[in-house]
Amino acid sequence: MTSYTQVMRDLGPDDRELRLSGHVGFDSLPDQLVNKSVNKGFDFNILCIGETGIGKSTLIDTLFKSNFDDAPVTHKVPQVALNEHSYELQESNVRLRLTVVSTAGYGDQINKENSCKPIVEYIDKQFESYLQEELKIKRSLINFHDTRIHACLYFLVPTGHSIKSLDLVCMKELDKKVNIIPVIGKADTIARSELSQFKTRIMEEFRKNDVQIYNFPTDDETVAELNSKMNSQLPFAVVGSREEIVAGGHKVRARQYPWGTVEIENEAHCDFVKLREMLLRTNMEDLREKTHSVHYELFRHNRLCQMGFADVTADNKPVSLQETYEQKRKENLLEMQAKEERMRQMFVQKVKDKEAELKSAEQQLHSEFERLRRHNAEEKREMDDKKRKLEEEINLFNKRKAAVQSQRAQTERDNLAAKKPGRK
């Protein structure tokens, strides 16, 4: 029975606890919620990060016992890209809209400095899309396709020694944005004696570099013991396969080698069953809830603060949305006026610069015209002088010619006179 202090705390000093004299019916509320959720269906989005060929697509196919026909990716991708595929799945009467996002070319570049940047931008883009829908006046979150990443399967290369620096840097960038579940891909390539030590070194690296991976919740008594046990076995060493063989009269997924067979669902061979149990059968809703209540809320808080919204003022007084809107409106108005004034001054300056440029060009043209005019006048004078001199030379030549002709005529007359008879 509820104590008086509990009733006062829950209901307030002016309320009182009532005893029901019969069945009312609000105990069916959980069933109503279940029915409504089942009719609506569920969204679940998985991000797979890992090097090319580590087995990301194969593991997803194995998890959901399907062949999603994801196109293979080569090692020649110039930069890290993300491939997104959505599928409609149904098990019994539960519909699941599954979105699988997988990295392509991750870790293949010589310069790996920006390898994590496209992944962070993609996650933030999904948060931003949900926030914009949330801020709409007429919003439809019920029918909105939630693409926020709920679980990140981070595939670690089974080196047997230590985790790569690229993985540490990327996981550190992502641990405040997404639920990271580290897995060791292709774990059948590492000896069992080395695997336990490898897991221990990985977890030590996480603790040393303060990388926050997803811990399975232990606050629910029904799964606390199981989740606590699974937390101690992270990261999961997994193997995937699309091949089926007959073992013990049943078809099982397995990988066959010359030295033997690795059964995917045999816990003595790998941790695939543990991953599937934790990811899909036990903690799927907690992954969805933590994405919304922790990672998205952090993004939303930072984004709204960036936009200028706040709950309280500097002196810790509450601020209404209307006050924030009016303040931002005034700030934007002042900013627009200042920007308009800067643009006007910039325009005036550009006009002045253009006028000065045109005047300079005009002066240059005028100077060039004067130079050409003077040059032309000088050439004209020179031509006139040459013409005058030529005319003088012609006149002199004509005079000399006339004199020579006159002298020649006189000579001829003298010769003729000398030849006449009677002259001695």
Side-chain angles (χ1 to χ4, degrees):
M1 179 177 177
T2 306
S3 66
Y4 175 74
T5 56
Q6 290 175 327
V7 173
M8 291 289 289
R9 183 176 66 250
D10 296 339
L11 303 179
D14 298 328
D15 296 317
R16 59 194 180 92
E17 183 182 18
L18 295 178
R19 295 180 180 275
L20 302 179
S21 59
H23 180 259
V24 175
F26 59 78
D27 59 348
S28 65
L29 181 58
D31 296 332
Q32 297 176 37
L33 292 174
V34 170
N35 293 334
K36 185 176 181 180
S37 298
V38 169
N39 292 332
K40 176 188 173 184
F42 300 90
D43 291 320
F44 192 64
N45 309 312
I46 301 177
L47 171 62
C48 298
I49 302 177
E51 298 182 3
T52 304
I54 196 65
K56 301 184 293 293
S57 300
T58 305
L59 182 66
I60 294 298
D61 289 351
T62 310
L63 277 172
F64 293 94
K65 295 185 177 181
S66 301
N67 290 319
F68 293 123
D69 296 328
D70 193 10
V73 179
T74 66
H75 290 273
K76 298 181 180 180
V77 180
Q79 58 185 6
V80 178
L82 293 171
N83 298 327
E84 176 183 339
H85 301 282
S86 295
Y87 309 96
E88 295 285 345
L89 307 179
Q90 183 165 348
E91 187 175 36
S92 299
N93 65 331
V94 178
R95 291 181 296 108
L96 179 68
R97 182 157 49 181
L98 174 69
T99 299
V100 179
V101 184
S102 181
T103 57
Y106 184 76
D108 290 338
Q109 294 75 32
I110 296 177
N111 183 2
K112 300 178 176 60
E113 183 178 358
N114 296 321
S115 296
C116 193
K117 184 178 179 182
I119 303 173
V120 174
E121 290 177 349
Y122 177 85
I123 295 174
D124 288 343
K125 182 180 178 181
Q126 311 316 309
F127 282 151
E128 181 68 23
S129 176
Y130 192 89
L131 178 62
Q132 292 302 321
E133 181 66 25
E134 204 175 44
L135 294 177
K136 286 181 179 179
I137 296 176
K138 186 179 180 181
R139 57 186 182 176
S140 181
L141 291 175
I142 296 178
N143 300 320
F144 182 74
H145 182 195
D146 184 6
T147 57
R148 295 172 298 175
I149 298 299
H150 300 121
C152 171
L153 296 180
Y154 200 105
F155 288 74
L156 302 174
V157 179
T159 61
H161 302 290
S162 180
I163 187 172
K164 294 184 178 181
S165 57
L166 172 63
D167 297 327
L168 279 176
V169 171
C170 188
M171 294 174 81
K172 188 63 180 175
E173 288 281 335
L174 298 176
D175 63 358
K176 297 295 189 298
K177 297 177 179 293
V178 70
N179 302 311
I180 299 176
I181 302 176
V183 295
I184 301 173
K186 292 188 174 181
D188 53 344
T189 61
I190 185 172
R192 182 178 298 182
S193 58
E194 297 177 350
L195 182 59
S196 177
Q197 298 177 1
F198 186 41
K199 285 186 175 185
T200 302
R201 280 195 291 269
I202 290 174
M203 297 304 293
E204 287 177 355
E205 290 283 350
F206 289 162
R207 284 190 290 269
K208 186 186 302 182
N209 294 277
D210 194 27
V211 175
Q212 303 297 321
I213 63 174
Y214 174 74
N215 286 310
F216 306 117
T218 56
D219 51 352
D220 185 354
E221 295 181 356
T222 59
V223 295
E225 184 178 354
L226 176 62
N227 282 347
S228 179
K229 180 181 178 181
M230 292 297 104
N231 283 331
S232 64
Q233 299 190 30
L234 287 171
F236 294 134
V238 297
V239 180
S241 175
R242 297 185 178 95
E243 302 175 8
E244 290 186 343
I245 65 171
V246 178
H250 301 282
K251 280 188 176 182
V252 295
R253 295 206 175 203
R255 300 187 73 91
Q256 292 182 308
Y257 298 97
W259 46 263
T261 301
V262 177
E263 296 181 10
I264 305 303
E265 298 188 23
N266 188 335
E267 293 191 47
H269 293 178
C270 68
D271 296 334
F272 170 78
V273 174
K274 298 173 183 175
L275 173 64
R276 183 180 62 189
E277 184 72 25
M278 292 294 98
L279 180 66
L280 303 180
R281 299 182 179 181
T282 306
N283 299 301
M284 178 183 282
E285 180 56 30
D286 183 75
L287 287 164
R288 286 159 38 91
E289 177 62 27
K290 186 174 181 180
T291 298
H292 180 77
S293 61
V294 178
H295 300 303
Y296 172 69
E297 279 300 317
L298 178 60
F299 174 85
R300 179 177 177 274
H301 172 270
N302 295 336
R303 189 73 176 89
L304 291 179
C305 290
Q306 182 183 356
M307 295 168 63
F309 293 95
D311 295 329
V312 294
T313 60
D315 52 357
N316 207 29
K317 292 183 179 180
V319 181
S320 66
L321 182 61
Q322 180 67 22
E323 292 175 348
T324 304
Y325 170 77
E326 289 296 334
Q327 180 64 27
K328 291 298 293 181
R329 182 175 176 274
K330 292 178 181 179
E331 291 176 0
N332 290 334
L333 183 60
L334 292 174
E335 183 179 351
M336 290 300 295
Q337 290 175 349
K339 187 176 181 180
E340 182 180 359
E341 179 63 23
R342 288 196 301 270
M343 292 181 66
R344 189 188 66 80
Q345 293 177 359
M346 187 182 301
F347 175 75
V348 171
Q349 184 62 37
K350 286 185 176 181
V351 170
K352 290 181 179 179
D353 293 343
K354 195 64 178 178
E355 288 179 349
E357 182 181 349
L358 291 174
K359 286 182 180 180
S360 176
E362 183 181 2
Q363 291 176 356
Q364 290 178 1
L365 288 173
H366 183 70
S367 300
E368 182 68 14
F369 173 76
E370 288 295 326
R371 186 187 67 80
L372 292 175
R373 189 181 64 80
R374 289 192 298 269
H375 180 69
N376 187 43
E378 184 68 24
E379 286 185 343
K380 186 175 182 300
R381 283 193 299 271
E382 291 177 358
M383 292 298 292
D384 290 342
D385 292 342
K386 290 181 180 180
K387 180 180 178 182
R388 181 178 52 78
K389 291 178 180 180
L390 183 60
E391 288 176 349
E392 292 175 354
E393 290 178 358
I394 292 173
N395 292 334
L396 181 61
F397 174 77
N398 289 333
K399 288 180 180 180
R400 290 179 179 177
K401 180 180 178 182
V404 170
Q405 289 176 349
S406 175
Q407 185 179 3
R408 184 180 298 173
Q410 183 64 37
T411 304
E412 288 179 355
R413 284 195 298 268
D414 292 342
N415 291 335
L416 288 174
K419 292 180 180 180
K420 286 183 178 182
R423 275 191 189 182
K424 294 182 180 179

